[in-house]
Amino acid sequence: MDFDLSEEQRMLEDSVERLIAERYGFEQRKKYLKEEAGFSRDLWRRYAEMGLLGLPFEERHGGSNGGAIETMIVMEAFGRGLTLEPYLATVILSGGLIQLAGSEAQRAELLPRIADGSLLAAWAHSEAQSRYDLCDVACSARRDADGWILDGAKSHVMHGDSADKLIVSARISGERRDRDGIALFLVDADAPGVERRGYGTQDGLRAAQITLSGVPIASRDAMGEPGKAASVIERVADCALAALAAEAVGAMAAAHETTVEYLKTRKQFGVTIGSFQALQHRAVDMLVELEQARSMALFATMMVEEPDAAERRKAISAATVQIRRSGRYIGQQAVQLHGGIGMTLEYKIGHYFKRFTAMETLFGDTDHHLAALAEAGGLIAPA
């Protein structure tokens, strides 16, 4: 199997890494954090100019037909920079849902606007009681003469406070945790009955609590076959986990490099602390964890387009378990090896650890994916 990047993929990697190196220094990131939306609108436009926002979409929708490898390249570079822009929420999650469940008219209208940077979107799916069960949906949609009426509440909607368009999951039939009966709807973020409460998350990103009270939805804004959205939701969640795995690897690599550089320059007792063998061993252990995580992130990328949902989900869960364990280990070691400054807001290493910690709770924590993998019989079938 050929693991080398093509010439076009290497060019993409070079251009994104150069952009992040030039425009996403730690001090620049702190400035972006203070902007009204919590990220840089100027950089978002730059992403659009470079074609990053339309990367996974078809050319007829303003994209460039990129696949999982291209997404991995971009997300790994974003992980290195600890970027704040809503790429996961708008391109991976919302763009993915529109591609998989949207009608041709919806794709033709929305995907080009995402690609040119003029539309921000967010997926409003998680609810307070649902934890990591993707089919646990209590938000309801009922038919009326003109379409649908939505009622309910959504929690931790990533970048929901800055989104122009929401994709809302709602139950149209069945019990709260039934697989059947879930539908997806396009909702204008400023529609009557939509209330948003934005807040900052521990890793510096943004999220929102969203309440829907009698929100009217036209029939044309229902996505796919109403009541049959579960498989699409699972597919997009798997794509998000593969993208997060790549982002985590980028952040782990940066945290490791920063720590090694610190060991080479920080002096104690008249010598650099990196000359102590015990600390060298810990830096090597971090590198081993990084390479294990990189291998599993690549595995997740290769499997994310697997048509067999059961095999795909096993692979994604296995990769997620390793990624999260590696991220926690590298984050802990990086902070400890930096000593006191590793705990300060003014130094970047702690921010990598906070991002690892935040990612641990997205689309299922380590225990959730370990249990799912065990229930599925493990990654490798017994001989």
Side-chain angles (χ1 to χ4, degrees), residues 198-289:
Y199 56 90
T201 57
Q202 65 168 347
D203 52 349
L205 275 68
R206 298 287 303 178
Q209 183 78 18
I210 294 178
T211 304
L212 306 150
S213 303
V215 180
I217 304 294
S219 295
R220 66 176 180 279
D221 288 329
M223 299 174 68
E225 182 182 356
K228 302 294 183 184
S231 60
V232 172
I233 288 170
E234 290 170 348
R235 179 71 181 268
V236 170
D238 288 343
C239 291
L241 284 166
L244 284 167
E247 181 189 347
V249 166
M252 286 182 221
H256 179 255
E257 290 166 9
T258 303
T259 303
V260 170
E261 184 62 27
Y262 183 76
L263 295 179
K264 289 178 178 177
T265 54
R266 174 76 166 91
K267 288 188 175 181
Q268 204 163 25
F269 309 115
V271 296
T272 57
I273 60 175
S275 63
F276 300 125
Q277 194 172 43
L279 301 192
Q280 293 174 8
H281 286 171
R282 290 170 70 171
V284 170
D285 288 343
M286 290 172 67
L287 180 61
V288 171
E289 286 290 339

Coordinates of all heavy atoms in Angstrom, one line a residue, residues 198-289:
G198 N -24.3 32.0 23.6 CA -23.0 31.6 23.3 C -22.1 31.6 24.5 O -22.3 32.4 25.4
Y199 N -21.0 30.8 24.5 CA -20.1 30.8 25.6 C -18.7 30.3 25.1 O -18.7 29.6 24.0 CB -20.6 30.0 26.8 CG -20.9 28.6 26.4 CD1 -19.9 27.5 26.5 CD2 -22.2 28.2 26.0 CE1 -20.3 26.2 26.2 CE2 -22.5 26.9 25.7 CZ -21.6 25.9 25.8 OH -21.9 24.6 25.5
G200 N -17.7 30.6 25.8 CA -16.3 30.1 25.5 C -16.1 28.8 26.1 O -16.5 28.6 27.2
T201 N -15.5 27.9 25.4 CA -15.1 26.6 25.9 C -13.7 26.6 26.6 O -13.0 27.5 26.4 CB -15.2 25.5 24.9 OG1 -14.3 25.8 23.8 CG2 -16.6 25.4 24.3
Q202 N -13.4 25.6 27.3 CA -12.1 25.6 28.0 C -10.9 25.7 27.2 O -9.8 26.1 27.6 CB -12.0 24.3 28.9 CG -11.9 23.0 28.1 CD -11.5 21.9 29.0 OE1 -11.1 22.0 30.1 NE2 -11.7 20.7 28.5
D203 N -11.0 25.3 25.9 CA -9.9 25.3 25.0 C -9.9 26.5 24.1 O -9.1 26.6 23.2 CB -9.9 24.0 24.1 CG -11.2 23.9 23.4 OD1 -12.2 24.6 23.7 OD2 -11.3 23.0 22.5
G204 N -10.7 27.5 24.4 CA -10.7 28.8 23.7 C -11.6 28.9 22.6 O -11.7 29.9 21.9
L205 N -12.3 27.8 22.2 CA -13.2 27.8 21.1 C -14.6 28.3 21.6 O -14.7 28.7 22.7 CB -13.3 26.5 20.4 CG -12.3 26.2 19.4 CD1 -10.9 26.0 20.0 CD2 -12.6 24.9 18.6
R206 N -15.6 28.3 20.7 CA -16.9 28.8 21.1 C -17.9 27.7 20.9 O -17.8 26.8 20.0 CB -17.3 30.0 20.1 CG -16.3 31.2 20.3 CD -16.5 32.0 21.5 NE -17.9 32.4 21.7 CZ -18.3 33.1 22.8 NH1 -17.5 33.3 23.8 NH2 -19.6 33.5 22.9
A207 N -19.0 27.8 21.7 CA -20.1 26.9 21.5 C -21.4 27.7 22.0 O -21.3 28.8 22.4 CB -19.9 25.6 22.4
A208 N -22.5 27.0 21.8 CA -23.8 27.7 22.2 C -24.8 26.7 22.7 O -24.8 25.5 22.3 CB -24.3 28.5 21.0
Q209 N -25.6 27.2 23.6 CA -26.8 26.5 24.0 C -28.0 27.1 23.2 O -28.1 28.3 23.1 CB -27.1 26.8 25.5 CG -28.3 26.0 26.1 CD -28.0 24.6 26.3 OE1 -26.8 24.2 26.4 NE2 -29.0 23.8 26.5
I210 N -28.7 26.2 22.5 CA -29.8 26.7 21.6 C -31.1 26.2 22.0 O -31.3 25.0 22.2 CB -29.4 26.3 20.2 CG1 -28.2 27.0 19.7 CG2 -30.6 26.6 19.2 CD1 -27.7 26.6 18.3
T211 N -32.1 27.1 22.1 CA -33.5 26.7 22.5 C -34.3 27.0 21.3 O -34.2 28.0 20.6 CB -33.9 27.5 23.7 OG1 -33.1 27.4 24.7 CG2 -35.3 27.1 24.1
L212 N -35.2 26.0 20.9 CA -36.1 26.1 19.8 C -37.5 26.1 20.3 O -38.0 25.1 20.9 CB -35.9 25.0 18.8 CG -34.4 24.8 18.3 CD1 -34.1 23.3 18.0 CD2 -34.2 25.6 17.1
S213 N -38.3 27.2 20.1 CA -39.6 27.3 20.6 C -40.6 27.5 19.5 O -40.7 28.7 19.0 CB -39.7 28.4 21.7 OG -38.8 28.2 22.7
G214 N -41.3 26.5 19.0 CA -42.2 26.7 18.0 C -41.6 27.3 16.7 O -42.3 28.1 16.0
V215 N -40.5 26.8 16.3 CA -39.8 27.3 15.1 C -40.4 26.8 13.8 O -40.4 25.5 13.6 CB -38.3 27.0 15.2 CG1 -37.6 27.5 13.9 CG2 -37.6 27.5 16.4
P216 N -41.0 27.6 13.0 CA -41.6 27.1 11.7 C -40.5 26.8 10.7 O -39.6 27.6 10.5 CB -42.4 28.3 11.3 CG -41.8 29.5 11.9 CD -41.1 29.1 13.1
I217 N -40.6 25.6 10.1 CA -39.7 25.2 9.1 C -40.5 24.8 7.8 O -41.4 24.0 7.8 CB -38.9 23.9 9.5 CG1 -38.2 24.2 10.8 CG2 -37.9 23.5 8.4 CD1 -37.1 25.3 10.7
A218 N -40.1 25.4 6.7 CA -40.7 25.0 5.4 C -40.4 23.6 5.0 O -39.3 23.1 5.3 CB -40.3 26.0 4.3
S219 N -41.3 23.0 4.3 CA -41.1 21.6 3.9 C -39.8 21.4 3.1 O -39.1 20.4 3.2 CB -42.3 21.1 3.0 OG -43.4 21.1 3.8
R220 N -39.4 22.5 2.3 CA -38.2 22.4 1.5 C -37.0 22.3 2.3 O -35.9 22.0 1.8 CB -38.2 23.5 0.5 CG -38.0 24.9 1.1 CD -37.9 26.0 0.1 NE -37.7 27.3 0.7 CZ -38.7 28.0 1.2 NH1 -39.9 27.6 1.1 NH2 -38.4 29.2 1.7
D221 N -37.0 22.7 3.6 CA -35.9 22.7 4.4 C -35.6 21.5 5.2 O -34.7 21.4 6.1 CB -35.9 23.9 5.4 CG -35.7 25.2 4.6 OD1 -35.0 25.2 3.6 OD2 -36.2 26.3 5.1
A222 N -36.5 20.5 5.0 CA -36.2 19.1 5.6 C -35.1 18.5 4.7 O -35.1 18.6 3.5 CB -37.4 18.3 5.6
M223 N -34.2 17.7 5.3 CA -33.1 17.2 4.6 C -33.2 15.6 4.5 O -33.5 15.0 5.6 CB -31.7 17.5 5.3 CG -31.4 19.0 5.4 SD -29.9 19.3 6.3 CE -28.7 18.6 5.3
G224 N -33.1 15.1 3.4 CA -33.2 13.7 3.2 C -34.6 13.2 3.5 O -35.6 13.9 3.4
E225 N -34.7 11.9 3.7 CA -36.0 11.3 4.1 C -36.3 11.4 5.5 O -35.5 10.9 6.4 CB -36.0 9.8 3.7 CG -37.3 9.1 4.0 CD -37.3 7.6 3.7 OE1 -36.2 7.1 3.2 OE2 -38.3 6.9 3.9
P226 N -37.3 12.2 5.9 CA -37.6 12.5 7.3 C -37.7 11.2 8.1 O -38.5 10.3 7.6 CB -38.9 13.3 7.3 CG -38.8 14.0 6.0 CD -38.2 13.0 5.1
G227 N -37.1 11.0 9.2 CA -37.2 9.8 10.1 C -36.1 8.8 9.8 O -35.9 7.9 10.6
K228 N -35.2 9.0 8.8 CA -34.2 8.1 8.4 C -32.8 8.7 8.5 O -31.9 8.3 7.7 CB -34.5 7.5 7.0 CG -35.8 6.9 6.9 CD -35.9 5.6 7.7 CE -37.2 4.9 7.5 NZ -37.4 3.7 8.4
A229 N -32.6 9.6 9.4 CA -31.3 10.3 9.4 C -30.2 9.7 10.2 O -29.1 10.1 10.2 CB -31.5 11.8 9.9
A230 N -30.5 8.6 11.0 CA -29.5 8.0 11.9 C -28.2 7.6 11.2 O -27.1 7.9 11.7 CB -30.1 6.8 12.6
S231 N -28.3 6.9 10.1 CA -27.1 6.5 9.4 C -26.3 7.7 8.9 O -25.0 7.6 8.9 CB -27.5 5.6 8.2 OG -28.3 6.2 7.3
V232 N -26.9 8.7 8.5 CA -26.2 9.9 8.0 C -25.5 10.5 9.2 O -24.3 11.0 9.1 CB -27.1 10.9 7.4 CG1 -26.4 12.2 7.1 CG2 -27.7 10.4 6.1
I233 N -26.2 10.6 10.3 CA -25.6 11.2 11.6 C -24.4 10.4 12.0 O -23.3 11.0 12.3 CB -26.7 11.3 12.7 CG1 -27.7 12.3 12.3 CG2 -26.0 11.5 14.0 CD1 -28.9 12.3 13.2
E234 N -24.5 9.1 12.0 CA -23.3 8.3 12.4 C -22.1 8.4 11.4 O -21.0 8.5 11.8 CB -23.7 6.8 12.4 CG -24.7 6.5 13.6 CD -25.3 5.1 13.5 OE1 -25.2 4.5 12.5 OE2 -25.9 4.7 14.6
R235 N -22.4 8.5 10.1 CA -21.4 8.7 9.1 C -20.6 10.0 9.3 O -19.4 10.0 9.3 CB -22.0 8.6 7.7 CG -21.0 8.8 6.6 CD -20.2 7.6 6.4 NE -19.2 7.7 5.3 CZ -19.4 7.4 4.1 NH1 -20.6 6.8 3.8 NH2 -18.5 7.5 3.2
V236 N -21.4 11.1 9.5 CA -20.7 12.4 9.7 C -20.0 12.4 11.0 O -18.9 13.0 11.1 CB -21.8 13.5 9.6 CG1 -21.2 14.8 10.0 CG2 -22.3 13.6 8.2
A237 N -20.5 11.8 12.1 CA -19.7 11.7 13.3 C -18.4 11.0 13.2 O -17.4 11.4 13.7 CB -20.6 11.1 14.4
D238 N -18.4 9.9 12.4 CA -17.2 9.2 12.1 C -16.2 10.1 11.3 O -15.0 10.1 11.6 CB -17.5 7.9 11.3 CG -18.1 6.8 12.1 OD1 -18.1 7.0 13.4 OD2 -18.7 5.9 11.5
C239 N -16.7 10.8 10.4 CA -15.8 11.8 9.6 C -15.2 12.8 10.6 O -14.0 13.1 10.5 CB -16.6 12.5 8.5 SG -17.1 11.4 7.2
A240 N -16.0 13.3 11.5 CA -15.5 14.3 12.5 C -14.4 13.7 13.4 O -13.4 14.3 13.7 CB -16.7 14.8 13.3
L241 N -14.6 12.4 13.8 CA -13.6 11.8 14.7 C -12.3 11.6 13.9 O -11.2 11.7 14.5 CB -14.2 10.4 15.2 CG -15.2 10.6 16.3 CD1 -16.0 9.2 16.5 CD2 -14.6 11.0 17.6
A242 N -12.4 11.2 12.6 CA -11.2 11.0 11.9 C -10.5 12.4 11.7 O -9.2 12.5 11.8 CB -11.5 10.4 10.5
A243 N -11.2 13.4 11.5 CA -10.6 14.8 11.4 C -10.0 15.2 12.7 O -8.9 15.8 12.7 CB -11.7 15.8 10.9
L244 N -10.7 14.9 13.8 CA -10.2 15.3 15.1 C -8.9 14.5 15.4 O -8.0 15.0 16.1 CB -11.3 15.0 16.2 CG -12.4 16.0 16.3 CD1 -13.5 15.5 17.1 CD2 -11.9 17.4 16.8
A245 N -8.8 13.3 14.9 CA -7.6 12.5 15.1 C -6.4 13.2 14.5 O -5.3 13.2 15.0 CB -7.8 11.1 14.6
A246 N -6.6 13.6 13.2 CA -5.6 14.3 12.5 C -5.2 15.6 13.3 O -4.0 16.0 13.4 CB -6.0 14.6 11.1
E247 N -6.2 16.4 13.7 CA -5.9 17.6 14.4 C -5.1 17.3 15.7 O -4.2 18.0 16.0 CB -7.3 18.3 14.8 CG -7.0 19.6 15.5 CD -8.3 20.2 16.1 OE1 -9.4 19.8 15.7 OE2 -8.2 21.1 16.9
A248 N -5.5 16.2 16.4 CA -4.8 15.9 17.6 C -3.4 15.5 17.4 O -2.5 15.9 18.1 CB -5.5 14.7 18.3
V249 N -3.1 14.8 16.3 CA -1.7 14.5 15.9 C -0.9 15.7 15.7 O 0.3 15.8 16.1 CB -1.7 13.5 14.7 CG1 -0.3 13.4 14.1 CG2 -2.2 12.2 15.1
G250 N -1.5 16.7 15.0 CA -0.8 18.0 14.7 C -0.4 18.7 16.0 O 0.7 19.2 16.2
A251 N -1.4 18.7 17.0 CA -1.2 19.3 18.3 C -0.2 18.5 19.1 O 0.7 19.1 19.8 CB -2.5 19.4 19.0
M252 N -0.2 17.2 19.0 CA 0.8 16.4 19.8 C 2.2 16.6 19.2 O 3.1 16.7 20.0 CB 0.4 14.9 19.6 CG -0.8 14.4 20.4 SD -1.0 12.6 20.2 CE -2.7 12.5 20.0
A253 N 2.3 16.7 17.9 CA 3.6 16.9 17.3 C 4.2 18.3 17.8 O 5.4 18.4 18.1 CB 3.6 16.9 15.8
A254 N 3.3 19.3 17.8 CA 3.8 20.6 18.2 C 4.2 20.6 19.7 O 5.2 21.2 20.1 CB 2.7 21.7 17.9
A255 N 3.4 19.9 20.5 CA 3.6 19.9 21.9 C 5.0 19.2 22.2 O 5.7 19.6 23.1 CB 2.5 19.2 22.7
H256 N 5.2 18.1 21.5 CA 6.4 17.3 21.6 C 7.7 18.2 21.2 O 8.7 18.3 21.9 CB 6.4 16.1 20.8 CG 7.6 15.2 20.9 ND1 8.6 15.2 19.9 CD2 8.1 14.5 22.0 CE1 9.6 14.4 20.3 NE2 9.3 14.0 21.5
E257 N 7.5 18.8 20.1 CA 8.7 19.7 19.6 C 8.9 20.8 20.6 O 10.1 21.1 20.8 CB 8.3 20.2 18.2 CG 8.3 19.2 17.1 CD 7.6 19.7 15.8 OE1 7.4 20.9 15.8 OE2 7.4 18.9 14.9
T258 N 7.9 21.4 21.1 CA 8.1 22.5 22.0 C 8.8 22.1 23.3 O 9.6 22.7 23.8 CB 6.7 23.2 22.3 OG1 6.1 23.6 21.1 CG2 6.8 24.3 23.3
T259 N 8.4 20.9 23.7 CA 8.9 20.3 25.0 C 10.4 20.0 24.8 O 11.3 20.3 25.6 CB 8.2 19.1 25.4 OG1 6.8 19.5 25.6 CG2 8.7 18.6 26.7
V260 N 10.7 19.3 23.7 CA 12.1 19.0 23.4 C 13.0 20.2 23.3 O 14.1 20.3 23.8 CB 12.2 18.1 22.1 CG1 13.7 18.0 21.7 CG2 11.6 16.8 22.3
E261 N 12.5 21.3 22.6 CA 13.2 22.5 22.5 C 13.5 23.1 23.9 O 14.5 23.6 24.2 CB 12.4 23.5 21.6 CG 13.1 24.8 21.4 CD 14.5 24.6 20.6 OE1 14.6 23.6 19.9 OE2 15.3 25.5 20.8
Y262 N 12.4 23.0 24.8 CA 12.6 23.5 26.1 C 13.7 22.8 26.9 O 14.5 23.3 27.6 CB 11.3 23.5 26.9 CG 11.3 24.0 28.3 CD1 11.3 25.4 28.5 CD2 11.3 23.2 29.4 CE1 11.3 25.9 29.8 CE2 11.3 23.7 30.7 CZ 11.3 25.1 30.9 OH 11.4 25.6 32.1
L263 N 13.7 21.5 26.7 CA 14.7 20.6 27.4 C 16.1 21.0 27.0 O 17.1 20.9 27.7 CB 14.4 19.1 27.2 CG 13.1 18.6 27.8 CD1 13.0 17.1 27.4 CD2 13.0 18.8 29.3
K264 N 16.2 21.4 25.7 CA 17.5 21.7 25.2 C 18.0 23.1 25.6 O 19.2 23.4 25.5 CB 17.5 21.7 23.6 CG 17.3 20.3 23.1 CD 17.3 20.4 21.6 CE 17.2 19.0 20.9 NZ 17.0 19.1 19.4
T265 N 17.1 24.0 26.1 CA 17.5 25.4 26.4 C 17.4 25.7 27.9 O 18.2 26.6 28.3 CB 16.6 26.3 25.6 OG1 15.3 26.1 25.9 CG2 16.9 26.2 24.1
R266 N 16.5 25.1 28.6 CA 16.4 25.4 30.0 C 17.5 24.8 30.8 O 17.8 23.6 30.7 CB 15.0 24.8 30.5 CG 14.8 25.0 32.0 CD 14.4 26.4 32.4 NE 13.9 26.4 33.8 CZ 14.7 26.7 34.8 NH1 16.0 26.9 34.7 NH2 14.1 26.7 36.0
K267 N 18.2 25.7 31.6 CA 19.3 25.3 32.4 C 19.0 25.2 33.8 O 18.3 26.0 34.4 CB 20.5 26.2 32.1 CG 21.2 26.1 30.8 CD 22.4 26.9 30.7 CE 23.1 26.7 29.3 NZ 24.4 27.5 29.2
Q268 N 19.6 24.2 34.5 CA 19.5 24.0 35.9 C 20.8 23.4 36.4 O 21.3 22.5 35.7 CB 18.3 23.2 36.3 CG 17.8 23.5 37.7 CD 16.4 22.9 37.9 OE1 15.9 22.0 37.2 NE2 15.6 23.5 38.8
F269 N 21.3 23.8 37.5 CA 22.6 23.3 38.0 C 23.7 23.5 37.0 O 24.6 22.7 36.9 CB 22.5 21.9 38.5 CG 21.3 21.6 39.4 CD1 20.3 20.7 39.0 CD2 21.3 22.2 40.6 CE1 19.2 20.5 39.8 CE2 20.2 21.9 41.5 CZ 19.2 21.1 41.1
G270 N 23.6 24.5 36.2 CA 24.6 24.8 35.2 C 24.6 24.0 33.9 O 25.5 24.2 33.1
V271 N 23.6 23.2 33.8 CA 23.5 22.4 32.5 C 22.1 22.4 32.0 O 21.1 22.7 32.8 CB 23.9 20.9 32.8 CG1 25.4 20.8 33.1 CG2 23.0 20.2 33.8
T272 N 21.9 22.1 30.7 CA 20.5 22.0 30.2 C 19.8 20.8 30.8 O 20.5 19.8 31.0 CB 20.5 21.9 28.7 OG1 21.3 20.8 28.3 CG2 21.1 23.2 28.0
I273 N 18.6 21.0 31.2 CA 17.9 19.9 31.8 C 17.7 18.7 30.9 O 17.5 17.5 31.3 CB 16.5 20.3 32.4 CG1 15.6 20.8 31.2 CG2 16.7 21.4 33.5 CD1 14.2 21.2 31.7
G274 N 17.9 18.9 29.6 CA 17.8 17.8 28.6 C 19.0 16.9 28.7 O 18.9 15.8 28.1
S275 N 20.0 17.3 29.5 CA 21.1 16.4 29.6 C 20.9 15.3 30.7 O 21.6 14.3 30.8 CB 22.4 17.2 30.0 OG 22.2 17.8 31.3
F276 N 19.8 15.4 31.4 CA 19.4 14.4 32.4 C 18.7 13.2 31.7 O 17.7 13.4 31.0 CB 18.5 14.9 33.5 CG 19.1 16.1 34.3 CD1 18.5 17.3 34.4 CD2 20.4 15.9 34.9 CE1 19.1 18.3 35.1 CE2 21.0 17.0 35.6 CZ 20.3 18.2 35.7
Q277 N 19.3 12.0 31.9 CA 18.8 10.9 31.1 C 17.3 10.6 31.4 O 16.6 10.2 30.5 CB 19.6 9.6 31.5 CG 19.4 8.5 30.5 CD 20.4 7.4 30.7 OE1 20.7 7.0 31.9 NE2 21.0 6.8 29.7
A278 N 16.9 10.8 32.7 CA 15.5 10.5 33.0 C 14.5 11.3 32.2 O 13.5 10.9 31.7 CB 15.2 10.8 34.5
L279 N 14.9 12.6 31.9 CA 14.0 13.5 31.1 C 14.1 13.1 29.6 O 13.1 13.2 28.9 CB 14.4 14.9 31.3 CG 14.3 15.4 32.8 CD1 14.5 17.0 32.8 CD2 13.0 15.0 33.4
Q280 N 15.3 12.6 29.2 CA 15.4 12.2 27.8 C 14.4 11.0 27.6 O 13.8 10.9 26.5 CB 16.8 11.7 27.5 CG 17.8 12.9 27.5 CD 19.3 12.4 27.4 OE1 19.5 11.2 27.1 NE2 20.2 13.3 27.5
H281 N 14.4 10.1 28.6 CA 13.5 8.9 28.4 C 12.0 9.4 28.3 O 11.3 8.8 27.5 CB 13.7 8.0 29.6 CG 15.0 7.2 29.6 ND1 15.4 6.5 30.7 CD2 15.9 7.1 28.6 CE1 16.6 5.9 30.3 NE2 16.9 6.3 29.1
R282 N 11.7 10.4 29.1 CA 10.3 10.8 29.0 C 10.0 11.5 27.6 O 8.9 11.3 27.1 CB 10.0 11.8 30.1 CG 10.0 11.0 31.5 CD 9.9 11.9 32.7 NE 8.6 12.6 32.8 CZ 8.3 13.3 33.9 NH1 9.1 13.4 34.9 NH2 7.1 13.9 33.9
A283 N 10.9 12.2 27.1 CA 10.7 12.8 25.8 C 10.6 11.7 24.7 O 9.8 11.8 23.8 CB 11.9 13.7 25.4
V284 N 11.4 10.6 24.9 CA 11.3 9.5 23.9 C 9.9 8.8 24.0 O 9.3 8.4 23.0 CB 12.4 8.5 24.1 CG1 12.2 7.2 23.3 CG2 13.8 9.1 23.7
D285 N 9.5 8.6 25.3 CA 8.1 8.0 25.5 C 7.0 8.9 24.8 O 6.1 8.3 24.2 CB 7.8 7.9 27.0 CG 8.7 6.8 27.6 OD1 9.2 5.9 26.9 OD2 8.8 6.8 28.9
M286 N 7.2 10.2 24.9 CA 6.2 11.1 24.2 C 6.3 10.8 22.7 O 5.2 10.8 22.0 CB 6.6 12.5 24.5 CG 6.3 13.0 25.9 SD 6.9 14.6 26.3 CE 5.9 15.6 25.2
L287 N 7.5 10.7 22.1 CA 7.6 10.4 20.7 C 7.0 9.1 20.3 O 6.3 9.0 19.3 CB 9.1 10.4 20.3 CG 9.4 10.2 18.8 CD1 8.7 11.3 18.0 CD2 10.9 10.1 18.6
V288 N 7.1 8.1 21.1 CA 6.5 6.8 20.8 C 5.0 6.9 20.8 O 4.3 6.4 19.9 CB 6.9 5.7 21.9 CG1 6.1 4.5 21.7 CG2 8.4 5.4 21.8
E289 N 4.4 7.6 21.8 CA 3.0 7.9 21.8 C 2.5 8.6 20.6 O 1.5 8.4 20.0 CB 2.6 8.6 23.1 CG 2.6 7.8 24.3 CD 1.5 6.7 24.4 OE1 0.5 6.9 23.6 OE2 1.7 5.7 25.1

